[in-house]
Amino acid sequence: MKEEEIIKKWLDNETLSGEELQFLQENEAFKDYQKIAENATYFKAPQIDIHNGLKSVVEKTREKKSKKVWINQLTRIAAILVIAIGSYFLFFHSTQTQVDTLANVTKQINLPDDSEVTLNAGSSISYNKDTWTGNREVHLDGEAFFKVAKGKKFTVITSLGEVSVLGTQFNVKQRNNSIYVDCYEGLVEVKINNKRIKLPAGKSIAFRNKQLNEYENTANASTWLQGKSTFKSVPLREVFKEFERQYDIKIQAKNLTLNQDKLFTGSFTHKNIETAIKSITLPFGLDYSIQEDEIIVSARE
Amino acid sequence: MTKNLQDHVCEESVFARLYEKHAKNIHDFLYYKFGELLQPEDKMQEAFVKLWQNCKKVPPSKAKSFLFTVANNLMLNEVKHQKVVLKYEKRKTQHQDHQDPQFLLEEQEYLKKYQKALASLTESQRVAFLLNRTEGKKHKEIAEILNISQKAVEKRIYGALKKIRKEIKGI
């Protein structure tokens, strides 16, 4: 035991006491050990060049790095392409169906559950075919008449608010900053600014300039379906806008300010432009002249 | 400690320091463990390249064990339990005049036996013994390099010494 301790000490190149040295000298194996220890240096590992070694590692890493960056860029571009194409198919192709109407056109659309939508001129509607049975949601920009088949909740989403129903006939009109909802059958729930309003048959609601008005609707269905636009206390500017949509023509106001207090109640036909413009301008005492692609409305002198 | 955390292996100065500190030890470790046939120097270099590629993931405190592990694995991928043969250098002694041919021959014989004896050691014995005897490293330093206790180092070296003697003597 003692021998082992001392040899270990000797192996670690520690200074030994005279007594310990004496002990080793007397040990017969120690001579062999000494020779072995001495000759071990023959097997020394070759020297390596630290400076050049480091240089070559750095060079190698540079090569790999630049290669990697290049591949990285490629993968990034590929990923973006995949996402772009993927989202194109996701949002525009497979699931979302969009129907638009140009000015001067109305369209009849059958939704997947046989609900009917009639889209007025210059409007667009979109819905998701795939999730339709569980989620009857329609995004509307413009005006449309809905005849909803009985079933789960049916929701029309516009930028101003939501209209939801169970099964009924109703009209939603959202133009710029105003929304009009007319209910003709059943019960409609309108949600505007987080306020919920229940609209029974025969009632209409108007949200204009942040003001909410309820009123009775006189006709038994939206008049535009019969080729007529009907208004109740609607600013003249909006009436002209609707006119422009229906006839695909510009209306220019000459020496005339179309401010909010000029309200129009009445209707204009979609079938005769002359009759139509007359029915708007006459009550206000305005003059009009029909040009090729515009109508100039001016105050009567 | 906080400085250590800020130190990044990706920084070239830090990387260079790690290289200067560990390159030789890793090389020697591989050389004594696996012999020179499998290019220990190349494996060591490759381990550093790997460290650089993973420099963001490896904190400086873990760099040493990362390097040793990677280098060792690179070797193991190639080694198929080949016999380790360490080259012994031709000695250029100053005492050449005093050596007669008989002595030289005996010495050659002795080194051949020694070579065989080294090959018969276990890897861990050989590494510890040669780091101690040829690189002149203290037991404590070897313990640090190999991540084992000093006692274990002593045991390995002592065991190696006894075994080499037995092999050479043919006991």
Side-chain angles (χ1 to χ4, degrees):
Chain A
M1 199 61 217
K2 199 186 165 199
E3 179 200 326
E4 189 180 330
E5 290 293 303
I6 297 171
I7 288 178
K8 279 180 183 169
K9 220 171 153 190
W10 167 73
L11 279 170
D12 205 9
N13 301 329
E14 279 182 43
T15 44
L16 302 173
S17 67
E19 197 187 318
E20 283 167 330
L21 271 174
Q22 182 87 31
F23 179 85
L24 285 179
Q25 304 292 356
E26 283 162 15
N27 192 321
E28 80 168 288
F30 184 64
K31 257 204 169 149
D32 297 332
Y33 290 154
Q34 257 180 322
K35 197 174 180 196
I36 291 167
E38 256 172 51
N39 281 298
T41 45
Y42 279 112
F43 299 96
K44 196 169 159 49
Q47 281 298 320
I48 54 165
D49 187 339
I50 295 284
H51 182 71
N52 281 329
L54 177 58
K55 247 196 203 160
S56 81
V57 165
V58 169
E59 265 163 38
K60 255 189 222 168
T61 53
R62 288 247 168 81
E63 268 170 45
K64 294 214 172 169
K65 208 175 173 187
S66 60
K67 219 184 201 173
K68 232 178 156 186
V69 165
W70 192 71
I71 291 166
N72 241 345
Q73 292 287 31
L74 263 190
T75 14
R76 269 182 215 175
I77 293 168
I80 288 167
L81 277 179
V82 167
I83 290 169
I85 294 168
S87 46
Y88 172 78
F89 278 103
L90 194 67
F91 292 114
F92 300 106
H93 225 259
S94 57
T95 52
Q96 210 71 12
T97 310
Q98 182 162 359
V99 182
D100 301 300
T101 51
L102 299 170
N104 205 4
V105 181
T106 64
K107 244 187 213 170
Q108 182 101 25
I109 304 144
N110 284 328
L111 295 173
D113 64 348
D114 282 335
S115 297
E116 281 171 27
V117 182
T118 312
L119 204 56
N120 203 356
S123 305
S124 97
I125 197 173
S126 71
Y127 58 93
N128 195 324
K129 237 185 209 165
D130 293 348
T131 60
W132 183 258
T133 38
N135 187 12
R136 299 203 293 178
E137 267 182 13
V138 171
H139 290 262
L140 171 71
D141 181 20
E143 183 169 11
F145 177 83
F146 295 89
K147 197 167 171 185
V148 178
K150 282 209 165 60
K152 282 206 179 116
K153 191 165 144 183
F154 184 103
T155 309
V156 180
I157 300 167
T158 72
S159 55
L160 287 181
E162 292 175 20
V163 183
S164 27
V165 295
L166 291 171
T168 158
Q169 294 185 33
F170 65 102
N171 191 68
V172 178
K173 178 179 180 185
Q174 176 259 313
R175 296 290 189 196
N176 302 324
N177 285 320
S178 48
I179 180 167
Y180 305 87
V181 181
D182 312 299
C183 179
Y184 301 108
E185 202 185 289
L187 187 73
V188 174
E189 186 181 79
V190 185
K191 182 180 158 202
I192 297 168
N193 288 347
N194 289 323
K195 214 162 104 188
R196 288 174 190 282
I197 303 143
K198 290 230 156 56
L199 211 59
K203 286 273 187 193
S204 293
I205 204 168
F207 179 70
R208 195 164 55 221
N209 302 322
K210 291 173 183 153
Q211 273 194 312
L212 211 56
N213 286 311
E214 257 184 81
Y215 56 92
E216 307 247 324
N217 56 47
T218 42
N220 50 8
S222 282
T223 50
W224 62 268
L225 294 173
Q226 279 98 51
K228 233 166 42 160
S229 288
T230 309
F231 304 88
K232 191 171 168 88
S233 307
V234 174
L236 194 56
R237 197 165 17 162
E238 272 186 43
V239 178
F240 281 153
K241 281 248 176 71
E242 183 64 30
F243 191 98
E244 285 174 351
R245 266 194 292 274
Q246 292 299 343
Y247 283 102
D248 198 10
I249 197 167
K250 275 254 159 274
I251 295 183
Q252 292 275 11
K254 219 172 164 188
N255 54 46
L256 177 71
T257 46
L258 296 174
N259 44 20
Q260 291 294 339
D261 54 276
K262 281 201 170 63
L263 298 177
F264 177 71
T265 300
S267 63
F268 67 81
T269 173
H270 297 168
K271 285 167 187 135
N272 187 315
I273 192 165
E274 177 109 37
T275 322
I277 194 70
K278 219 181 237 168
S279 55
I280 302 169
T281 50
L282 213 60
F284 287 100
L286 300 172
D287 273 343
Y288 67 89
S289 70
I290 301 173
Q291 315 285 326
E292 197 163 307
D293 54 355
E294 62 175 12
I295 298 174
I296 295 165
V297 178
S298 55
R300 194 169 287 167
E301 280 157 39
Chain B
M1 193 61 206
T2 41
K3 184 138 197 299
N4 257 348
L5 287 175
Q6 285 163 349
D7 270 356
H8 224 280
V9 179
C10 298
E11 238 169 78
E12 275 189 33
S13 63
V14 177
F15 185 77
R17 239 191 300 139
L18 285 170
Y19 188 91
E20 278 154 23
K21 196 171 164 198
H22 298 303
K24 184 165 162 37
N25 284 342
I26 293 167
H27 169 259
D28 293 351
F29 167 75
L30 295 177
Y31 181 89
Y32 294 137
K33 189 169 176 185
F34 299 103
E36 89 258 58
L37 282 177
L38 295 166
Q39 287 93 34
E41 189 168 356
D42 290 358
K43 299 294 184 299
M44 179 272 286
Q45 294 283 74
E46 225 177 294
F48 274 98
V49 172
K50 286 248 157 69
L51 174 66
W52 182 261
Q53 286 164 354
N54 293 291
C55 66
K56 282 191 185 125
K57 291 179 231 154
V58 184
S61 57
K62 293 266 161 59
K64 187 196 126 200
S65 60
F66 177 90
L67 287 165
F68 271 86
T69 309
V70 169
N72 196 38
N73 289 345
L74 286 169
M75 270 295 188
L76 288 175
N77 285 346
E78 256 183 57
V79 84
K80 299 276 188 295
H81 292 290
Q82 294 177 12
K83 213 143 203 217
V84 176
V85 179
L86 294 177
K87 214 166 37 179
Y88 51 90
E89 284 171 43
K90 293 270 180 301
R91 190 182 251 180
K92 320 167 234 155
T93 46
Q94 307 97 308
H95 323 288
Q96 210 154 14
D97 340 345
H98 306 293
Q99 286 167 356
D100 58 38
Q102 173 73 21
F103 178 82
L104 278 178
L105 209 67
E106 268 171 26
E107 201 181 55
Q108 285 294 331
E109 280 298 304
Y110 179 79
L111 284 178
K112 261 185 198 151
K113 279 185 194 165
Y114 203 147
Q115 193 173 32
K116 267 192 193 158
L118 281 176
S120 74
L121 296 178
T122 66
E123 283 171 354
S124 52
Q125 275 178 330
R126 188 168 50 243
V127 171
F129 177 77
L130 288 171
L131 281 178
N132 173 243
R133 292 328 308 169
T134 73
E135 300 300 325
K137 288 210 184 297
K138 301 280 284 177
H139 294 171
K140 206 178 149 198
E141 292 174 277
I142 299 169
E144 242 166 65
I145 292 173
L146 300 179
N147 241 336
I148 54 175
S149 71
Q150 199 174 325
K151 277 259 171 282
V153 174
E154 283 171 5
K155 209 175 151 198
R156 286 178 190 186
I157 296 172
Y158 182 70
L161 186 67
K162 278 173 91 173
K163 200 170 178 197
I164 291 169
R165 177 169 173 261
K166 274 188 186 172
E167 288 283 325
I168 292 175
K169 285 258 166 189
I171 309 169

